[in-house]
């Protein structure tokens, strides 16, 4: 067996984005030893790309804002499929998490009277996004890293070793989680196996608790705002270890990705552009969003240009602009306009901020957007409109967790951030991810710490045969294929992206989804013959082959769940089943892998419907009866104060 470097920790956090770092801080604050492992360089996680801001009802821009309003907006955005307990905790705790970041050294933009400034975003009733220009994610990561360094300095002062309690393993990819019979006799987490991307050398972390914080799955799609790290690793690691995924049919296609020039296709234009007054216009020069206010949002959005523009000046005296409807609605509207022949030359629509704000103000409020378009596309957004269209952006689906602790189905496994599921239901509101990372990163770190403390010293062990199997699986792509026709991982990846884009994209149809499932089965067969040249030292083809293992499994979950859900809700639009179906409102689609298949390189996924736990009466009562009537059955609303006896 190849040599394997060994480490032992109380908690291993896989992922060094916002969720991972917040979990590290929490577990370390409880005195535990923590390893943080990440695929890329430390400080370069996907969170760094977050632009618009972090949603928290601090009430600085409008004092009517509070956690109840934020909770209601989040549930509406998710079309009432959200895990309501997560939405409640998130809305209640987000302001404290933002303020806490300032104690770590973050400095958010300020209002004129010195409070944290908050900006408008789609689906949020009041200006709610705490931000640092359009570089909020960078500030979030920078300050949490700073906090980690300060904790390491405390550890040095006490033990003489900076890494006594927190050690970073950068550019290490985890390929498998290891389990063993735990305290209750069932399989529990025993550790994680991976490799150094540079040397190809193997490494194992023995730990009774693992927090997955690996982010999303966007690299399974051709047009995406996501970075190379988003290959669904955490989702697949969890499934193969015996945990479940939920809501995988719900993918957010952000309405405003760049569509031109081709070199930057898919790159995001933050919703902050519309929050600061930018408007969507079709090729006839019409602000078309007024034509796309869906029935469930009627009455909540401005119905004329004058009213929308008045709302920008003072959001108490008018209703909000439909340019800021939730993302699923705006993405579908753009799709319709393009389909109707009112799109731009390159298949998008125009997003115009140039005619709405003075150039200096645009550069001040949106420095990264201005820089990105100027440098990468030679478009000056202070002078001309951008061409934008939907891009695969965020996965609402993820690892099924306990809302309070982040615990997944396997004892010792925890998850937080984009790789976990439930919080956002069928559609996430912009800005609700950064706050999700902070709230549930902390909770998962705490959950893991309490779990380890509860073990009282007994830890599941890792066997040599576990290591041999993990190493053998990781090296499969170096074996010559049995039938002599090798598959190139890049070709396979390209074919997967094309399949997902064309057949499981923004608008879905039964026959296309069935076709996708057949294609995915073919791709899985082809994957068995995937072969790479060269050695284990920095070998991108090998890295991709390992990532493909995860993308194929996760894509299967997305396609199967999308076929089963015969309705349109949030980030899942079925052309053959337009509109929401009350039957599906309380149904979760749960993805799992049969325990007999755990050992397979890419096991088959099974998707089964399960009932959602009904919302607590006091939370349901926060909504007007007439609003929840649009989603709930009379029986479900029997306890609502507005129900007639
Ligand atoms: P990430 O920050 O992606 O971190 C994942 C970590 O996991 C990385 O360190 C990665 O290296 C590691 N990893 C993955 N797989 C492995 C593996 N196998 N082994 C080891 N390590 C692994 N949300 C908002 O709320 N507001 C915004 O303004 C906003 N703007 C956005 C702009 C863009 C362009 C994009 C793409 C997203 C934006 N989002 C925004 C969404 C938000 O940024 C993400 O949902 C969030 O950052 C995810 O954080 P995370 O901690 O879950 O994962």
């Amino acid at each position: 067996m190849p040599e394997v470097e060994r480490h032992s920790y109380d908690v291993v956090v896989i992922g060094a984005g916002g969720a991972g770092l917040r979990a590290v801080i929490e577990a370390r604050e409880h005195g535990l030893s923590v390893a943080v492992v990440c695929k890329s360089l430390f400080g370069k996680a996907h969170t760094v790309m977050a632009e618009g801001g972090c949603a928290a009802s601090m009430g600085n821009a409008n004092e009517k804002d509070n956690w109840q309003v934020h909770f209601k907006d989040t549930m509406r955005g998710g079309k009432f499929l959200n895990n309501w307990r997560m939405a409640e905790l998130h809305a209640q705790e987000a302001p404290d998490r933002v303020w806490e970041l300032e104690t770590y050294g973050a400095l958010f933009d300020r209002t004129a009277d010195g409070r944290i400034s908050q900006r408008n975003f789609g689906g949020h009733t009041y200006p709610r996004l705490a931000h640092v220009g359009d570089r909020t994610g960078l500030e979030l990561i920078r300050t949490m890293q700073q906090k980690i360094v300060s904790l390491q300095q405390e550890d040095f002062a006490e033990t003489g070793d900076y890494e006594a309690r927190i050690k970073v393993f950068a550019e290490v990819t985890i390929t498998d989680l290891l389990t063993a019979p735990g305290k209750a006799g069932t399989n529990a987490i025993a550790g994680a196996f991976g490799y150094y991307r540079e040397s190809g050398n193997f490494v194992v972390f023995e730990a009774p608790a693992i927090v997955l914080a690996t982010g999303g799955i966007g690299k399974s799609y051709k047009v995406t705002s996501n970075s190379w790290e988003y290959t669904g690793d955490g989702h697949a690691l969890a499934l193969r270890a015996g945990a479940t995924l939920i809501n995988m049919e719900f993918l957010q296609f952000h309405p405003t990705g760049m569509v031109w020039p081709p070199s930057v296709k898919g790159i995001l234009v933050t919703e902050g552009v519309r929050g600061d007054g930018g408007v969507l216009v079709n090729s006839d020069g019409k602000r078309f969003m007024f034509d796309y206010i869906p029935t469930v949002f009627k009455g909540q959005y401005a119905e004329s240009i004058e009213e929308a523009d008045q709302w920008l000046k003072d959001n108490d005296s008018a209703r909000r602009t439909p340019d800021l409807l939730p993302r699923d609605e705006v993405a579908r509207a753009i799709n319709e306009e393009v389909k109707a022949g009112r799109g731009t030359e390159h298949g998008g629509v125009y997003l115009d901020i140039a005619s709405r704000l003075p150039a200096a103000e645009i550069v001040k409020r949106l420095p990264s957007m201005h820089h990105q378009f100027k440098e990468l596309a030679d478009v000056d957004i202070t002078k001309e409109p951008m061409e934008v269209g939907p891009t695969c952006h965020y996965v609402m689906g993820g690892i099924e967790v306990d809302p309070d602790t982040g615990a997944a189905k396997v004892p010792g496994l925890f998850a937080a951030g984009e790789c976990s599921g439930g919080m956002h239901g069928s559609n996430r509101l912009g800005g609700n991810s950064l706050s999700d990372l902070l709230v549930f990163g902390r909770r998962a770190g705490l959950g893991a710490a309490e779990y380890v403390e509860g073990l009282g010293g007994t830890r599941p062990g890792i066997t040599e045969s576990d290591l041999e199997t993990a190493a053998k699986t990781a090296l499969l792509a170096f074996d010559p294929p049995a039938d002599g026709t090798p598959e190139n991982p890049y070709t396979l990846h390209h074919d997967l992206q094309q399949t997902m884009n064309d057949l499981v994209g923004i608008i879905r149809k039964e026959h296309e989804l069935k076709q996708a499932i057949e294609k995915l089965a073919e791709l899985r067969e082809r994957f068995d013959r995937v072969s790479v040249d060269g050695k284990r030292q920095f070998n991108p083809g090998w890295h991709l082959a390992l990532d493909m293992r995860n993308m194929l499994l996760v894509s299967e979950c997305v396609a199967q769940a999308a076929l089963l859900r015969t309705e349109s809700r949030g980030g899942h639009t079925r052309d053959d089943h337009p509109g929401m179906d009350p039957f599906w409102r309380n149904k979760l689609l749960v993805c799992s892998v049969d325990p007999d298949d755990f050992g397979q390189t890419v096991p088959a996924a099974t998707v089964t419907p399960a009932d959602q736990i009904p919302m607590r009466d006091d939370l349901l009562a926060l909504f007007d009866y007439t609003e929840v009537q649009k989603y709930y059955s009379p029986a479900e609303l029997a306890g609502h104060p507005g129900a007639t006896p």
Side-chain angles (χ1 to χ4, degrees):
M1 189 182 71
E3 207 175 305
V4 182
E5 183 181 301
R6 280 176 179 262
H7 298 276
S8 184
Y9 285 90
D10 294 324
V11 178
V12 173
V13 176
I14 306 176
L21 295 189
R22 191 59 192 81
V24 171
I25 293 167
E26 200 62 23
R28 154 62 185 80
E29 299 264 41
H30 278 74
L32 300 192
S33 67
V34 190
V36 52
V37 187
C38 52
K39 252 171 148 173
S40 50
L41 290 168
F42 194 55
K44 206 233 112 293
H46 202 80
T47 300
V48 169
M49 292 161 75
E51 296 158 352
C54 177
S57 60
M58 291 183 281
N60 292 348
N62 190 322
E63 58 192 28
K64 286 194 213 134
D65 203 9
N66 56 40
W67 78 260
Q68 288 91 340
V69 185
H70 193 182
F71 167 76
K72 288 196 284 180
D73 287 344
T74 301
M75 293 298 298
R76 280 181 195 123
K79 305 279 188 320
F80 287 83
L81 199 87
N82 318 53
N83 179 310
W84 47 265
R85 173 66 178 155
M86 286 176 103
E88 178 191 20
L89 290 170
H90 167 257
Q92 286 174 339
E93 295 177 6
D96 281 348
R97 298 285 77 79
V98 170
W99 277 312
E100 177 182 70
L101 269 192
E102 291 220 329
T103 70
Y104 297 170
L107 190 55
F108 286 92
D109 288 356
R110 289 318 216 230
T111 59
D113 61 356
R115 290 180 294 170
I116 292 177
S117 165
Q118 300 191 266
R119 71 160 40 121
N120 283 311
F121 241 55
H124 293 280
T125 302
Y126 299 114
R128 189 177 282 148
L129 268 69
H131 56 94
V132 183
D134 55 4
R135 295 175 182 143
T136 314
L138 179 64
E139 182 71 349
L140 200 135
I141 290 291
R142 185 190 71 72
T143 46
M144 285 205 277
Q145 284 187 315
Q146 191 171 314
K147 175 70 182 173
I148 284 172
V149 170
S150 89
L151 289 169
Q152 287 179 316
Q153 283 171 344
E154 280 177 24
D155 291 339
F156 179 77
E158 188 190 325
T159 67
D161 178 4
Y162 287 105
E163 293 177 332
R165 293 201 186 88
I166 302 177
K167 185 167 161 78
V168 179
F169 293 84
E171 296 195 273
V172 170
T173 297
I174 296 299
T175 55
D176 272 307
L177 300 182
L178 306 173
T179 56
K183 225 178 166 185
T186 48
N187 261 7
I189 287 296
F193 181 90
Y195 70 101
Y196 287 91
R197 296 173 73 83
E198 192 182 352
S199 63
N201 291 342
F202 290 130
V203 55
V204 67
F205 299 91
E206 291 176 273
I210 285 181
V211 179
L212 289 170
T214 51
I217 68 164
K219 277 294 162 191
S220 300
Y221 281 79
K222 198 171 155 197
V223 181
T224 178
S225 64
N226 291 181
S227 74
W228 64 270
E229 290 165 83
Y230 267 22
T231 51
D233 295 11
H235 293 74
L237 288 167
L239 270 179
R240 292 198 302 262
T244 44
L245 309 184
I246 51 168
N247 296 350
M248 290 307 289
E249 65 277 34
F250 298 113
L251 272 167
Q252 183 169 85
F253 290 82
H254 193 292
T256 60
M258 290 167 77
V259 298
W260 188 258
S263 58
V264 287
K265 200 172 167 83
I267 289 187
L268 195 78
V269 181
T270 174
E271 200 165 307
V273 172
R274 282 171 286 140
D276 287 350
V279 291
L280 291 163
V281 179
N282 65 19
S283 57
D284 298 337
K286 181 177 174 194
R287 279 179 66 178
F288 58 85
M289 280 310 300
F290 296 96
D291 299 338
Y292 291 95
I293 303 171
T295 325
V296 287
F297 291 116
K298 276 271 186 276
Q300 295 171 32
Y301 283 81
E303 284 166 32
S304 68
I305 291 181
E306 295 68 35
E307 191 185 357
D309 287 352
Q310 173 57 30
W311 174 82
L312 267 176
K313 288 184 216 131
D314 166 22
N315 53 48
D316 277 340
S317 61
R319 291 171 296 178
R320 62 196 353 260
T321 172
D323 288 294
L324 285 174
L325 270 160
R327 290 174 175 175
D328 53 329
E329 309 291 356
V330 183
R332 272 193 295 271
I334 294 176
N335 210 57
E336 286 296 312
E337 286 296 300
V338 175
K339 235 168 60 186
R342 294 186 293 268
T344 64
E345 192 189 339
H346 305 106
V349 294
Y350 295 110
L351 173 56
D352 174 29
I353 183 92
S355 71
R356 310 265 306 162
L357 282 179
E361 193 59 26
I362 297 174
V363 176
K364 185 175 149 216
R365 292 196 199 188
L366 302 159
S368 300
M369 283 297 102
H370 179 253
H371 178 82
Q372 168 180 306
F373 273 87
K374 195 86 194 76
E375 294 302 314
L376 304 178
D378 200 25
V379 171
D380 185 345
I381 68 166
T382 66
K383 294 202 172 85
E384 56 188 307
M386 299 157 246
E387 275 187 66
V388 296
T391 180
C392 176
H393 183 58
Y394 185 90
V395 59
M396 271 67 75
I399 301 156
E400 188 175 18
V401 291
D402 174 76
D404 290 76
T405 61
K409 286 266 144 68
V410 182
L413 187 62
F414 297 79
E418 191 168 337
C419 73
S420 66
M423 157 69 202
H424 306 284
S426 68
N427 177 47
R428 172 180 73 93
L429 294 186
N432 267 2
S433 174
L434 292 189
S435 36
D436 164 352
L437 310 182
L438 297 172
V439 169
F440 295 105
R442 175 185 159 274
R443 282 186 165 270
L446 181 60
E450 287 177 347
Y451 172 81
V452 173
E453 283 155 9
L455 287 177
T458 45
R459 297 185 172 202
I462 288 171
T463 64
E464 284 307 301
S465 104
D466 290 338
L467 294 183
E468 257 174 59
T469 310
K472 197 161 162 259
T473 309
L475 293 173
L476 279 175
F478 288 106
D479 296 342
D483 72 356
T485 49
E487 275 287 346
N488 181 319
Y490 291 95
T491 315
L492 207 60
H493 188 209
H494 170 271
D495 293 353
L496 172 71
Q497 290 182 320
Q498 197 73 53
T499 302
M500 294 305 282
N501 233 79
D502 295 350
L503 304 174
V504 201
I506 180 165
I507 309 289
R508 299 158 178 183
K509 301 181 177 77
E510 180 178 327
H511 72 275
E512 289 185 353
L513 291 167
K514 286 185 170 158
Q515 219 180 317
I517 291 166
E518 277 168 27
K519 286 217 172 217
L520 287 169
E522 277 168 32
L523 291 171
R524 271 216 312 271
E525 267 175 38
R526 284 171 56 190
F527 178 75
D528 289 341
R529 300 194 302 275
V530 91
S531 175
V532 297
D533 293 331
K535 301 211 161 34
R536 278 157 59 188
Q537 281 85 1
F538 197 87
N539 184 335
W542 178 41
H543 302 170
L544 180 61
L546 290 168
D547 292 343
M548 279 303 296
R549 190 183 167 209
N550 302 326
M551 284 189 273
L552 284 169
L553 176 56
V554 170
S555 299
E556 171 85 22
C557 293
V558 176
Q560 296 271 13
L563 178 63
L564 267 185
R565 186 174 285 275
T566 48
E567 66 158 353
S568 295
R569 184 182 295 270
H572 169 65
T573 304
R574 284 283 298 261
D575 210 33
D576 44 356
H577 294 277
M580 285 184 276
D581 180 341
F583 168 80
W584 283 107
R585 211 249 340 122
N586 69 338
K587 292 271 180 297
L588 296 175
L589 292 178
V590 184
C591 307
S592 59
V593 163
D594 192 297
D596 291 341
D597 291 346
F598 285 170
Q600 290 190 14
T601 330
V602 187
T606 315
V607 183
T608 24
D611 281 345
Q612 169 100 292
I613 299 172
M615 199 195 296
R616 249 185 16 238
D617 281 347
D618 59 312
L619 294 176
L620 197 57
L622 293 174
F623 297 90
D624 279 347
Y625 187 73
T626 47
E627 180 176 9
V628 275
Q629 248 183 337
K630 295 174 190 166
Y631 300 93
Y632 284 76
S633 67
E636 288 173 303
L637 291 176
H640 192 283
T644 41

